[in-house]
Amino acid sequence: MNKTIFKGTCTAAITPFTKYGIDYDALGRQIEFQIENQIDALCILGTTGEAPTVTDDEYERVAKFSYDKIAGRVKFILGTGSNCTKKAIEKSVLAEKIGADGLLVVTPYYNKCTQKGLVKYYNDVADSVNIPILCYNVPARTGVNILPQTMAE
């Protein structure tokens, strides 16, 4: 699939917390602030959004809350990457079901997979959904770099 998810500016949103858990009021204000300031897309639950540290329940609730709050006013991109391919697929399928316009899929972190492993990981995720994927290459954090020839493949 070669489809542009968005053009312009995308904000990688944080997930605000209180000492009791996720602060949905603050998340809602953040979403409104970003939209009022004319961003073109919001990335929710990427690595900046604490996706690796929230529970599955929290992940789904934040995703649904954000989708409802965004209400189609800007593109909604949901972080679904993981160091576990099965988990990345589950999150990606859920994101599509919720209504995400696209996925931010970070390279598997910690495990340091091979370039062949990256191709398999991204193909497996892409084959599980019908929405575009942004391959998030952040080698300083993941320990793995997507090489140009790997991306081409």
Side-chain angles (χ1 to χ4, degrees), residues 33-147:
F33 177 83
Q34 293 298 320
I35 293 172
E36 286 168 12
N37 284 280
Q38 302 179 348
I39 52 93
D40 301 288
L42 261 172
C43 180
I44 303 294
L45 291 167
T47 52
T48 302
E50 303 292 340
T53 63
V54 297
T55 67
D56 290 344
D57 252 6
E58 289 170 326
Y59 180 91
E60 187 169 348
R61 287 189 64 209
V62 168
K64 287 179 178 178
F65 175 89
S66 300
Y67 174 78
D68 290 344
K69 191 73 169 168
I70 291 168
R73 295 176 288 165
V74 298
K75 295 294 184 181
F76 172 47
I77 300 168
L78 196 56
T80 62
S82 174
N83 63 339
C84 171
T85 304
K86 181 180 177 188
K87 188 63 134 178
I89 290 170
E90 288 170 359
K91 285 181 171 183
S92 297
V93 168
L94 175 65
E96 183 175 39
K97 180 180 173 186
I98 288 169
D101 295 300
L103 309 173
L104 178 70
V105 182
V106 69
T107 56
Y109 42 89
Y110 185 74
N111 302 43
K112 295 186 180 181
C113 64
T114 64
Q115 295 299 302
K116 185 177 177 182
L118 286 175
V119 170
K120 174 108 172 83
Y121 170 75
Y122 279 109
N123 281 333
D124 286 353
V125 173
D127 289 345
S128 73
V129 294
N130 293 304
I131 55 177
I133 293 173
L134 292 166
C135 298
Y136 184 23
N137 189 32
V138 56
R141 296 281 187 204
T142 63
V144 145
N145 184 27
I146 305 173
L147 299 176

